[in-house]
PDB file of all heavy atoms in Angstrom:
ATOM      1  N   ASN A  90      -0.146  24.222 -39.911  1.00 98.00           N
ATOM      2  CA  ASN A  90      -0.232  25.700 -39.832  1.00 98.00           C
ATOM      3  C   ASN A  90      -1.235  26.211 -38.820  1.00 98.00           C
ATOM      4  O   ASN A  90      -1.455  27.389 -38.728  1.00 98.00           O
ATOM      5  CB  ASN A  90      -0.542  26.256 -41.222  1.00 98.00           C
ATOM      6  CG  ASN A  90      -1.875  25.675 -41.818  1.00 98.00           C
ATOM      7  OD1 ASN A  90      -2.192  24.522 -41.592  1.00 98.00           O
ATOM      8  ND2 ASN A  90      -2.552  26.482 -42.599  1.00 98.00           N
ATOM      9  N   LEU A  91      -1.822  25.298 -38.023  1.00 98.00           N
ATOM     10  CA  LEU A  91      -2.842  25.697 -37.060  1.00 98.00           C
ATOM     11  C   LEU A  91      -2.179  25.841 -35.658  1.00 98.00           C
ATOM     12  O   LEU A  91      -1.497  24.947 -35.175  1.00 98.00           O
ATOM     13  CB  LEU A  91      -3.948  24.651 -36.966  1.00 98.00           C
ATOM     14  CG  LEU A  91      -5.121  24.995 -36.024  1.00 98.00           C
ATOM     15  CD1 LEU A  91      -5.901  26.202 -36.549  1.00 98.00           C
ATOM     16  CD2 LEU A  91      -6.053  23.787 -35.842  1.00 98.00           C
ATOM     17  N   VAL A  92      -2.458  27.029 -35.045  1.00 98.00           N
ATOM     18  CA  VAL A  92      -1.977  27.267 -33.687  1.00 98.00           C
ATOM     19  C   VAL A  92      -3.200  27.385 -32.803  1.00 98.00           C
ATOM     20  O   VAL A  92      -4.077  28.182 -33.056  1.00 98.00           O
ATOM     21  CB  VAL A  92      -1.134  28.568 -33.626  1.00 98.00           C
ATOM     22  CG1 VAL A  92      -0.709  28.877 -32.181  1.00 98.00           C
ATOM     23  CG2 VAL A  92       0.040  28.468 -34.543  1.00 98.00           C
ATOM     24  N   TYR A  93      -3.247  26.597 -31.729  1.00 98.00           N
ATOM     25  CA  TYR A  93      -4.420  26.490 -30.861  1.00 98.00           C
ATOM     26  C   TYR A  93      -4.268  27.526 -29.751  1.00 98.00           C
ATOM     27  O   TYR A  93      -3.382  27.453 -28.919  1.00 98.00           O
ATOM     28  CB  TYR A  93      -4.492  25.078 -30.267  1.00 98.00           C
ATOM     29  CG  TYR A  93      -5.807  24.649 -29.716  1.00 98.00           C
ATOM     30  CD1 TYR A  93      -6.672  23.812 -30.465  1.00 98.00           C
ATOM     31  CD2 TYR A  93      -6.238  25.061 -28.463  1.00 98.00           C
ATOM     32  CE1 TYR A  93      -7.869  23.408 -29.942  1.00 98.00           C
ATOM     33  CE2 TYR A  93      -7.440  24.620 -27.924  1.00 98.00           C
ATOM     34  CZ  TYR A  93      -8.284  23.792 -28.692  1.00 98.00           C
ATOM     35  OH  TYR A  93      -9.470  23.398 -28.190  1.00 98.00           O
ATOM     36  N   GLU A  94      -5.190  28.531 -29.760  1.00 98.00           N
ATOM     37  CA  GLU A  94      -5.076  29.625 -28.819  1.00 98.00           C
ATOM     38  C   GLU A  94      -6.063  29.384 -27.648  1.00 98.00           C
ATOM     39  O   GLU A  94      -7.226  29.012 -27.857  1.00 98.00           O
ATOM     40  CB  GLU A  94      -5.452  30.932 -29.560  1.00 98.00           C
ATOM     41  CG  GLU A  94      -5.186  32.202 -28.765  1.00 98.00           C
ATOM     42  CD  GLU A  94      -6.457  32.772 -28.227  1.00 98.00           C
ATOM     43  OE1 GLU A  94      -7.361  33.102 -29.041  1.00 98.00           O
ATOM     44  OE2 GLU A  94      -6.574  32.903 -27.010  1.00 98.00           O
ATOM     45  N   LEU A  95      -5.541  29.549 -26.438  1.00 98.00           N
ATOM     46  CA  LEU A  95      -6.216  29.086 -25.231  1.00 98.00           C
ATOM     47  C   LEU A  95      -6.976  30.118 -24.440  1.00 98.00           C
ATOM     48  O   LEU A  95      -7.351  29.908 -23.305  1.00 98.00           O
ATOM     49  CB  LEU A  95      -5.225  28.367 -24.298  1.00 98.00           C
ATOM     50  CG  LEU A  95      -4.654  27.041 -24.850  1.00 98.00           C
ATOM     51  CD1 LEU A  95      -3.409  26.642 -24.081  1.00 98.00           C
ATOM     52  CD2 LEU A  95      -5.707  25.920 -24.713  1.00 98.00           C
ATOM     53  N   SER A  96      -7.190  31.311 -25.030  1.00 97.00           N
ATOM     54  CA  SER A  96      -7.916  32.335 -24.246  1.00 97.00           C
ATOM     55  C   SER A  96      -9.337  31.809 -23.953  1.00 97.00           C
ATOM     56  O   SER A  96      -9.966  31.117 -24.755  1.00 97.00           O
ATOM     57  CB  SER A  96      -8.036  33.641 -24.997  1.00 97.00           C
ATOM     58  OG  SER A  96      -8.846  33.553 -26.163  1.00 97.00           O
ATOM     59  N   ALA A  97      -9.795  32.112 -22.758  1.00 97.00           N
ATOM     60  CA  ALA A  97     -11.114  31.699 -22.226  1.00 97.00           C
ATOM     61  C   ALA A  97     -11.160  30.239 -21.842  1.00 97.00           C
ATOM     62  O   ALA A  97     -12.098  29.812 -21.178  1.00 97.00           O
ATOM     63  CB  ALA A  97     -12.253  32.069 -23.172  1.00 97.00           C
ATOM     64  N   ARG A  98     -10.221  29.431 -22.290  1.00 97.00           N
ATOM     65  CA  ARG A  98     -10.187  28.023 -21.912  1.00 97.00           C
ATOM     66  C   ARG A  98      -9.618  27.799 -20.526  1.00 97.00           C
ATOM     67  O   ARG A  98      -9.777  26.765 -19.907  1.00 97.00           O
ATOM     68  CB  ARG A  98      -9.373  27.199 -22.934  1.00 97.00           C
ATOM     69  CG  ARG A  98      -9.736  27.314 -24.394  1.00 97.00           C
ATOM     70  CD  ARG A  98     -11.177  26.930 -24.714  1.00 97.00           C
ATOM     71  NE  ARG A  98     -11.584  25.623 -24.301  1.00 97.00           N
ATOM     72  CZ  ARG A  98     -11.510  24.530 -25.022  1.00 97.00           C
ATOM     73  NH1 ARG A  98     -10.987  24.558 -26.233  1.00 97.00           N
ATOM     74  NH2 ARG A  98     -11.990  23.384 -24.575  1.00 97.00           N
ATOM     75  N   THR A  99      -8.877  28.832 -19.988  1.00 98.00           N
ATOM     76  CA  THR A  99      -8.247  28.688 -18.677  1.00 98.00           C
ATOM     77  C   THR A  99      -9.065  29.342 -17.592  1.00 98.00           C
ATOM     78  O   THR A  99      -8.666  29.303 -16.420  1.00 98.00           O
ATOM     79  CB  THR A  99      -6.833  29.313 -18.707  1.00 98.00           C
ATOM     80  OG1 THR A  99      -6.909  30.719 -19.004  1.00 98.00           O
ATOM     81  CG2 THR A  99      -5.967  28.621 -19.741  1.00 98.00           C
ATOM     82  N   TRP A 100     -10.182  30.026 -17.942  1.00 97.00           N
ATOM     83  CA  TRP A 100     -10.995  30.655 -16.910  1.00 97.00           C
ATOM     84  C   TRP A 100     -11.565  29.592 -15.981  1.00 97.00           C
ATOM     85  O   TRP A 100     -11.856  28.459 -16.413  1.00 97.00           O
ATOM     86  CB  TRP A 100     -12.160  31.416 -17.526  1.00 97.00           C
ATOM     87  CG  TRP A 100     -11.771  32.505 -18.494  1.00 97.00           C
ATOM     88  CD1 TRP A 100     -10.542  32.984 -18.766  1.00 97.00           C
ATOM     89  CD2 TRP A 100     -12.705  33.239 -19.296  1.00 97.00           C
ATOM     90  NE1 TRP A 100     -10.629  33.994 -19.678  1.00 97.00           N
ATOM     91  CE2 TRP A 100     -11.933  34.189 -20.042  1.00 97.00           C
ATOM     92  CE3 TRP A 100     -14.086  33.218 -19.466  1.00 97.00           C
ATOM     93  CZ2 TRP A 100     -12.510  35.069 -20.961  1.00 97.00           C
ATOM     94  CZ3 TRP A 100     -14.665  34.094 -20.383  1.00 97.00           C
ATOM     95  CH2 TRP A 100     -13.901  35.029 -21.087  1.00 97.00           C
ATOM     96  N   PRO A 101     -11.749  29.920 -14.677  1.00 96.00           N
ATOM     97  CA  PRO A 101     -12.383  28.941 -13.803  1.00 96.00           C
ATOM     98  C   PRO A 101     -13.768  28.474 -14.223  1.00 96.00           C
ATOM     99  O   PRO A 101     -14.147  27.352 -13.987  1.00 96.00           O
ATOM    100  CB  PRO A 101     -12.450  29.675 -12.451  1.00 96.00           C
ATOM    101  CG  PRO A 101     -11.372  30.689 -12.550  1.00 96.00           C
ATOM    102  CD  PRO A 101     -11.317  31.121 -13.968  1.00 96.00           C
ATOM    103  N   SER A 102     -14.500  29.387 -14.890  1.00 94.00           N
ATOM    104  CA  SER A 102     -15.789  29.006 -15.455  1.00 94.00           C
ATOM    105  C   SER A 102     -16.038  29.908 -16.673  1.00 94.00           C
ATOM    106  O   SER A 102     -15.447  30.992 -16.795  1.00 94.00           O
ATOM    107  CB  SER A 102     -16.927  29.181 -14.471  1.00 94.00           C
ATOM    108  OG  SER A 102     -17.086  30.528 -14.085  1.00 94.00           O
ATOM    109  N   HIS A 103     -16.867  29.425 -17.599  1.00 94.00           N
ATOM    110  CA  HIS A 103     -17.198  30.218 -18.790  1.00 94.00           C
ATOM    111  C   HIS A 103     -18.691  30.498 -18.806  1.00 94.00           C
ATOM    112  O   HIS A 103     -19.508  29.567 -18.557  1.00 94.00           O
ATOM    113  CB  HIS A 103     -16.783  29.477 -20.073  1.00 94.00           C
ATOM    114  CG  HIS A 103     -16.726  30.286 -21.285  1.00 94.00           C
ATOM    115  ND1 HIS A 103     -17.881  30.721 -21.900  1.00 94.00           N
ATOM    116  CD2 HIS A 103     -15.700  30.774 -22.011  1.00 94.00           C
ATOM    117  CE1 HIS A 103     -17.537  31.459 -22.976  1.00 94.00           C
ATOM    118  NE2 HIS A 103     -16.232  31.494 -23.044  1.00 94.00           N
ATOM    119  N   PRO A 104     -19.088  31.700 -19.094  1.00 91.00           N
ATOM    120  CA  PRO A 104     -20.533  32.058 -19.013  1.00 91.00           C
ATOM    121  C   PRO A 104     -21.375  31.315 -20.045  1.00 91.00           C
ATOM    122  O   PRO A 104     -22.614  31.180 -19.843  1.00 91.00           O
ATOM    123  CB  PRO A 104     -20.570  33.554 -19.279  1.00 91.00           C
ATOM    124  CG  PRO A 104     -19.278  33.878 -19.968  1.00 91.00           C
ATOM    125  CD  PRO A 104     -18.293  32.890 -19.448  1.00 91.00           C
ATOM    126  N   ARG A 105     -20.795  30.851 -21.143  1.00 88.00           N
ATOM    127  CA  ARG A 105     -21.622  30.152 -22.155  1.00 88.00           C
ATOM    128  C   ARG A 105     -21.786  28.685 -21.895  1.00 88.00           C
ATOM    129  O   ARG A 105     -22.822  28.108 -22.205  1.00 88.00           O
ATOM    130  CB  ARG A 105     -21.019  30.429 -23.535  1.00 88.00           C
ATOM    131  CG  ARG A 105     -21.275  31.804 -24.121  1.00 88.00           C
ATOM    132  CD  ARG A 105     -21.205  31.798 -25.615  1.00 88.00           C
ATOM    133  NE  ARG A 105     -19.820  31.688 -26.092  1.00 88.00           N
ATOM    134  CZ  ARG A 105     -19.497  31.310 -27.318  1.00 88.00           C
ATOM    135  NH1 ARG A 105     -20.432  31.003 -28.207  1.00 88.00           N
ATOM    136  NH2 ARG A 105     -18.236  31.256 -27.693  1.00 88.00           N
ATOM    137  N   SER A 106     -20.745  28.054 -21.384  1.00 90.00           N
ATOM    138  CA  SER A 106     -20.817  26.598 -21.185  1.00 90.00           C
ATOM    139  C   SER A 106     -19.727  26.137 -20.246  1.00 90.00           C
ATOM    140  O   SER A 106     -18.566  26.542 -20.399  1.00 90.00           O
ATOM    141  CB  SER A 106     -20.668  25.862 -22.478  1.00 90.00           C
ATOM    142  OG  SER A 106     -20.571  24.445 -22.264  1.00 90.00           O
ATOM    143  N   PRO A 107     -20.027  25.285 -19.259  1.00 90.00           N
ATOM    144  CA  PRO A 107     -18.991  24.765 -18.374  1.00 90.00           C
ATOM    145  C   PRO A 107     -17.998  23.858 -19.115  1.00 90.00           C
ATOM    146  O   PRO A 107     -16.891  23.606 -18.606  1.00 90.00           O
ATOM    147  CB  PRO A 107     -19.763  23.960 -17.337  1.00 90.00           C
ATOM    148  CG  PRO A 107     -21.077  23.629 -17.992  1.00 90.00           C
ATOM    149  CD  PRO A 107     -21.367  24.760 -18.908  1.00 90.00           C
ATOM    150  N   ASP A 108     -18.413  23.386 -20.309  1.00 91.00           N
ATOM    151  CA  ASP A 108     -17.473  22.508 -21.061  1.00 91.00           C
ATOM    152  C   ASP A 108     -16.369  23.298 -21.762  1.00 91.00           C
ATOM    153  O   ASP A 108     -15.473  22.691 -22.327  1.00 91.00           O
ATOM    154  CB  ASP A 108     -18.265  21.753 -22.133  1.00 91.00           C
ATOM    155  CG  ASP A 108     -19.317  20.858 -21.531  1.00 91.00           C
ATOM    156  OD1 ASP A 108     -19.064  20.288 -20.440  1.00 91.00           O
ATOM    157  OD2 ASP A 108     -20.413  20.709 -22.129  1.00 91.00           O
ATOM    158  N   TYR A 109     -16.469  24.627 -21.768  1.00 95.00           N
ATOM    159  CA  TYR A 109     -15.475  25.400 -22.533  1.00 95.00           C
ATOM    160  C   TYR A 109     -14.130  25.501 -21.867  1.00 95.00           C
ATOM    161  O   TYR A 109     -13.139  25.796 -22.530  1.00 95.00           O
ATOM    162  CB  TYR A 109     -16.030  26.816 -22.808  1.00 95.00           C
ATOM    163  CG  TYR A 109     -17.066  26.845 -23.895  1.00 95.00           C
ATOM    164  CD1 TYR A 109     -17.705  28.047 -24.213  1.00 95.00           C
ATOM    165  CD2 TYR A 109     -17.414  25.748 -24.648  1.00 95.00           C
ATOM    166  CE1 TYR A 109     -18.655  28.144 -25.230  1.00 95.00           C
ATOM    167  CE2 TYR A 109     -18.367  25.791 -25.658  1.00 95.00           C
ATOM    168  CZ  TYR A 109     -18.984  26.994 -25.939  1.00 95.00           C
ATOM    169  OH  TYR A 109     -19.885  27.084 -26.948  1.00 95.00           O
ATOM    170  N   THR A 110     -14.037  25.351 -20.569  1.00 96.00           N
ATOM    171  CA  THR A 110     -12.759  25.422 -19.906  1.00 96.00           C
ATOM    172  C   THR A 110     -12.035  24.077 -20.021  1.00 96.00           C
ATOM    173  O   THR A 110     -12.697  23.027 -20.227  1.00 96.00           O
ATOM    174  CB  THR A 110     -12.869  25.807 -18.443  1.00 96.00           C
ATOM    175  OG1 THR A 110     -13.257  24.673 -17.665  1.00 96.00           O
ATOM    176  CG2 THR A 110     -13.839  26.947 -18.235  1.00 96.00           C
ATOM    177  N   ILE A 111     -10.732  24.100 -19.877  1.00 98.00           N
ATOM    178  CA  ILE A 111      -9.942  22.831 -19.845  1.00 98.00           C
ATOM    179  C   ILE A 111      -9.565  22.497 -18.431  1.00 98.00           C
ATOM    180  O   ILE A 111      -8.617  21.727 -18.209  1.00 98.00           O
ATOM    181  CB  ILE A 111      -8.719  22.934 -20.763  1.00 98.00           C
ATOM    182  CG1 ILE A 111      -7.774  24.053 -20.310  1.00 98.00           C
ATOM    183  CG2 ILE A 111      -9.153  23.124 -22.206  1.00 98.00           C
ATOM    184  CD1 ILE A 111      -6.450  24.069 -21.040  1.00 98.00           C
ATOM    185  N   LEU A 112     -10.308  22.988 -17.451  1.00 97.00           N
ATOM    186  CA  LEU A 112     -10.038  22.769 -16.051  1.00 97.00           C
ATOM    187  C   LEU A 112     -11.031  21.749 -15.487  1.00 97.00           C
ATOM    188  O   LEU A 112     -12.212  21.804 -15.800  1.00 97.00           O
ATOM    189  CB  LEU A 112     -10.149  24.083 -15.257  1.00 97.00           C
ATOM    190  CG  LEU A 112      -9.342  25.264 -15.785  1.00 97.00           C
ATOM    191  CD1 LEU A 112      -9.569  26.484 -14.910  1.00 97.00           C
ATOM    192  CD2 LEU A 112      -7.863  24.945 -15.912  1.00 97.00           C
ATOM    193  N   ARG A 113     -10.576  20.901 -14.658  1.00 96.00           N
ATOM    194  CA  ARG A 113     -11.440  19.849 -14.102  1.00 96.00           C
ATOM    195  C   ARG A 113     -12.174  20.288 -12.887  1.00 96.00           C
ATOM    196  O   ARG A 113     -13.194  19.727 -12.470  1.00 96.00           O
ATOM    197  CB  ARG A 113     -10.655  18.568 -13.787  1.00 96.00           C
ATOM    198  CG  ARG A 113      -9.566  18.728 -12.753  1.00 96.00           C
ATOM    199  CD  ARG A 113      -8.808  17.447 -12.550  1.00 96.00           C
ATOM    200  NE  ARG A 113      -7.710  17.575 -11.627  1.00 96.00           N
ATOM    201  CZ  ARG A 113      -6.887  16.612 -11.287  1.00 96.00           C
ATOM    202  NH1 ARG A 113      -7.011  15.390 -11.861  1.00 96.00           N
ATOM    203  NH2 ARG A 113      -5.931  16.786 -10.408  1.00 96.00           N
ATOM    204  N   ASP A 114     -11.664  21.351 -12.206  1.00 95.00           N
ATOM    205  CA  ASP A 114     -12.245  21.769 -10.934  1.00 95.00           C
ATOM    206  C   ASP A 114     -12.167  23.297 -10.759  1.00 95.00           C
ATOM    207  O   ASP A 114     -12.234  23.781  -9.658  1.00 95.00           O
ATOM    208  CB  ASP A 114     -11.546  21.117  -9.776  1.00 95.00           C
ATOM    209  CG  ASP A 114     -10.004  21.341  -9.796  1.00 95.00           C
ATOM    210  OD1 ASP A 114      -9.582  22.139 -10.649  1.00 95.00           O
ATOM    211  OD2 ASP A 114      -9.299  20.749  -8.984  1.00 95.00           O
ATOM    212  N   GLY A 115     -12.098  24.017 -11.888  1.00 94.00           N
ATOM    213  CA  GLY A 115     -11.964  25.466 -11.808  1.00 94.00           C
ATOM    214  C   GLY A 115     -10.532  25.928 -11.512  1.00 94.00           C
ATOM    215  O   GLY A 115     -10.292  27.140 -11.421  1.00 94.00           O
ATOM    216  N   ARG A 116      -9.594  24.980 -11.413  1.00 95.00           N
ATOM    217  CA  ARG A 116      -8.237  25.323 -11.016  1.00 95.00           C
ATOM    218  C   ARG A 116      -7.203  24.485 -11.736  1.00 95.00           C
ATOM    219  O   ARG A 116      -6.267  25.039 -12.339  1.00 95.00           O
ATOM    220  CB  ARG A 116      -8.114  25.157  -9.493  1.00 95.00           C
ATOM    221  CG  ARG A 116      -6.763  25.499  -8.926  1.00 95.00           C
ATOM    222  CD  ARG A 116      -6.775  25.427  -7.418  1.00 95.00           C
ATOM    223  NE  ARG A 116      -7.123  24.078  -6.934  1.00 95.00           N
ATOM    224  CZ  ARG A 116      -7.470  23.766  -5.678  1.00 95.00           C
ATOM    225  NH1 ARG A 116      -7.498  24.736  -4.796  1.00 95.00           N
ATOM    226  NH2 ARG A 116      -7.747  22.548  -5.336  1.00 95.00           N
ATOM    227  N   ASN A 117      -7.325  23.195 -11.695  1.00 98.00           N
ATOM    228  CA  ASN A 117      -6.340  22.308 -12.260  1.00 98.00           C
ATOM    229  C   ASN A 117      -6.726  21.887 -13.693  1.00 98.00           C
ATOM    230  O   ASN A 117      -7.880  21.505 -13.945  1.00 98.00           O
ATOM    231  CB  ASN A 117      -6.189  21.048 -11.390  1.00 98.00           C
ATOM    232  CG  ASN A 117      -5.616  21.410 -10.006  1.00 98.00           C
ATOM    233  OD1 ASN A 117      -4.520  21.923  -9.921  1.00 98.00           O
ATOM    234  ND2 ASN A 117      -6.392  21.144  -8.953  1.00 98.00           N
ATOM    235  N   VAL A 118      -5.746  21.898 -14.568  1.00 98.00           N
ATOM    236  CA  VAL A 118      -5.965  21.443 -15.933  1.00 98.00           C
ATOM    237  C   VAL A 118      -6.161  19.931 -15.961  1.00 98.00           C
ATOM    238  O   VAL A 118      -5.426  19.192 -15.265  1.00 98.00           O
ATOM    239  CB  VAL A 118      -4.773  21.858 -16.849  1.00 98.00           C
ATOM    240  CG1 VAL A 118      -5.007  21.427 -18.307  1.00 98.00           C
ATOM    241  CG2 VAL A 118      -4.549  23.359 -16.777  1.00 98.00           C
ATOM    242  N   TRP A 119      -7.091  19.463 -16.789  1.00 98.00           N
ATOM    243  CA  TRP A 119      -7.245  18.022 -16.955  1.00 98.00           C
ATOM    244  C   TRP A 119      -5.917  17.404 -17.378  1.00 98.00           C
ATOM    245  O   TRP A 119      -5.269  17.946 -18.271  1.00 98.00           O
ATOM    246  CB  TRP A 119      -8.298  17.718 -18.005  1.00 98.00           C
ATOM    247  CG  TRP A 119      -9.738  17.886 -17.534  1.00 98.00           C
ATOM    248  CD1 TRP A 119     -10.568  18.943 -17.802  1.00 98.00           C
ATOM    249  CD2 TRP A 119     -10.492  16.986 -16.766  1.00 98.00           C
ATOM    250  NE1 TRP A 119     -11.790  18.760 -17.204  1.00 98.00           N
ATOM    251  CE2 TRP A 119     -11.772  17.568 -16.550  1.00 98.00           C
ATOM    252  CE3 TRP A 119     -10.208  15.726 -16.168  1.00 98.00           C
ATOM    253  CZ2 TRP A 119     -12.764  16.930 -15.815  1.00 98.00           C
ATOM    254  CZ3 TRP A 119     -11.215  15.119 -15.445  1.00 98.00           C
ATOM    255  CH2 TRP A 119     -12.474  15.699 -15.283  1.00 98.00           C
ATOM    256  N   PRO A 120      -5.519  16.283 -16.815  1.00 98.00           N
ATOM    257  CA  PRO A 120      -4.232  15.654 -17.179  1.00 98.00           C
ATOM    258  C   PRO A 120      -4.121  15.360 -18.674  1.00 98.00           C
ATOM    259  O   PRO A 120      -3.066  15.465 -19.248  1.00 98.00           O
ATOM    260  CB  PRO A 120      -4.249  14.373 -16.349  1.00 98.00           C
ATOM    261  CG  PRO A 120      -5.114  14.627 -15.181  1.00 98.00           C
ATOM    262  CD  PRO A 120      -6.170  15.570 -15.673  1.00 98.00           C
ATOM    263  N   GLU A 121      -5.239  14.984 -19.307  1.00 98.00           N
ATOM    264  CA  GLU A 121      -5.243  14.677 -20.713  1.00 98.00           C
ATOM    265  C   GLU A 121      -4.908  15.922 -21.563  1.00 98.00           C
ATOM    266  O   GLU A 121      -4.252  15.831 -22.602  1.00 98.00           O
ATOM    267  CB  GLU A 121      -6.575  14.077 -21.125  1.00 98.00           C
ATOM    268  CG  GLU A 121      -6.891  12.711 -20.488  1.00 98.00           C
ATOM    269  CD  GLU A 121      -7.519  12.873 -19.098  1.00 98.00           C
ATOM    270  OE1 GLU A 121      -7.645  13.994 -18.585  1.00 98.00           O
ATOM    271  OE2 GLU A 121      -7.896  11.820 -18.528  1.00 98.00           O
ATOM    272  N   TRP A 122      -5.399  17.093 -21.149  1.00 98.00           N
ATOM    273  CA  TRP A 122      -5.079  18.320 -21.845  1.00 98.00           C
ATOM    274  C   TRP A 122      -3.618  18.675 -21.634  1.00 98.00           C
ATOM    275  O   TRP A 122      -2.921  19.090 -22.586  1.00 98.00           O
ATOM    276  CB  TRP A 122      -5.998  19.482 -21.355  1.00 98.00           C
ATOM    277  CG  TRP A 122      -7.256  19.550 -22.099  1.00 98.00           C
ATOM    278  CD1 TRP A 122      -8.500  19.154 -21.697  1.00 98.00           C
ATOM    279  CD2 TRP A 122      -7.466  20.115 -23.433  1.00 98.00           C
ATOM    280  NE1 TRP A 122      -9.427  19.402 -22.657  1.00 98.00           N
ATOM    281  CE2 TRP A 122      -8.845  19.997 -23.698  1.00 98.00           C
ATOM    282  CE3 TRP A 122      -6.608  20.707 -24.369  1.00 98.00           C
ATOM    283  CZ2 TRP A 122      -9.385  20.456 -24.951  1.00 98.00           C
ATOM    284  CZ3 TRP A 122      -7.148  21.133 -25.595  1.00 98.00           C
ATOM    285  CH2 TRP A 122      -8.519  21.031 -25.841  1.00 98.00           C
ATOM    286  N   LEU A 123      -3.127  18.509 -20.405  1.00 98.00           N
ATOM    287  CA  LEU A 123      -1.715  18.769 -20.164  1.00 98.00           C
ATOM    288  C   LEU A 123      -0.814  17.858 -21.013  1.00 98.00           C
ATOM    289  O   LEU A 123       0.190  18.285 -21.569  1.00 98.00           O
ATOM    290  CB  LEU A 123      -1.393  18.558 -18.698  1.00 98.00           C
ATOM    291  CG  LEU A 123      -1.802  19.674 -17.749  1.00 98.00           C
ATOM    292  CD1 LEU A 123      -1.496  19.268 -16.310  1.00 98.00           C
ATOM    293  CD2 LEU A 123      -1.070  20.991 -18.072  1.00 98.00           C
ATOM    294  N   GLU A 124      -1.226  16.608 -21.157  1.00 98.00           N
ATOM    295  CA  GLU A 124      -0.479  15.666 -21.957  1.00 98.00           C
ATOM    296  C   GLU A 124      -0.427  16.103 -23.401  1.00 98.00           C
ATOM    297  O   GLU A 124       0.645  16.049 -24.074  1.00 98.00           O
ATOM    298  CB  GLU A 124      -1.112  14.266 -21.875  1.00 98.00           C
ATOM    299  CG  GLU A 124      -0.371  13.192 -22.656  1.00 98.00           C
ATOM    300  CD  GLU A 124      -1.046  11.839 -22.565  1.00 98.00           C
ATOM    301  OE1 GLU A 124      -2.091  11.749 -21.888  1.00 98.00           O
ATOM    302  OE2 GLU A 124      -0.504  10.874 -23.143  1.00 98.00           O
ATOM    303  N   LEU A 125      -1.550  16.601 -23.962  1.00 98.00           N
ATOM    304  CA  LEU A 125      -1.591  17.056 -25.351  1.00 98.00           C
ATOM    305  C   LEU A 125      -0.713  18.267 -25.536  1.00 98.00           C
ATOM    306  O   LEU A 125       0.072  18.371 -26.510  1.00 98.00           O
ATOM    307  CB  LEU A 125      -3.020  17.363 -25.760  1.00 98.00           C
ATOM    308  CG  LEU A 125      -3.215  17.902 -27.198  1.00 98.00           C
ATOM    309  CD1 LEU A 125      -2.804  16.859 -28.231  1.00 98.00           C
ATOM    310  CD2 LEU A 125      -4.646  18.355 -27.395  1.00 98.00           C
ATOM    311  N   ILE A 126      -0.773  19.230 -24.618  1.00 98.00           N
ATOM    312  CA  ILE A 126      -0.017  20.443 -24.738  1.00 98.00           C
ATOM    313  C   ILE A 126       1.495  20.169 -24.603  1.00 98.00           C
ATOM    314  O   ILE A 126       2.293  20.690 -25.374  1.00 98.00           O
ATOM    315  CB  ILE A 126      -0.481  21.456 -23.697  1.00 98.00           C
ATOM    316  CG1 ILE A 126      -1.931  21.901 -23.996  1.00 98.00           C
ATOM    317  CG2 ILE A 126       0.438  22.701 -23.648  1.00 98.00           C
ATOM    318  CD1 ILE A 126      -2.593  22.643 -22.848  1.00 98.00           C
TER     319      ILE A 126
END
């Protein structure tokens, strides 16, 4: 019943932590995240 919502995870950078995005270079999604999705 859990739906994973991706707002703020796709931003090139996040003001609170660089670990919050799922991007490896501010542009491309990490392959492991793409595989999960």
Side-chain angles (χ1 to χ4, degrees):
N90 56 327
L91 183 67
V92 178
Y93 199 102
E94 189 256 302
L95 291 163
S96 69
R98 307 301 305 270
T99 62
W100 300 353
S102 63
H103 195 287
R105 283 204 287 162
S106 172
D108 299 325
Y109 283 177
T110 78
I111 60 171
L112 309 179
R113 62 183 177 181
D114 54 8
R116 181 175 59 192
N117 295 299
V118 181
W119 283 101
E121 295 84 356
W122 273 102
L123 282 176
E124 181 181 1
L125 178 64
I126 295 166

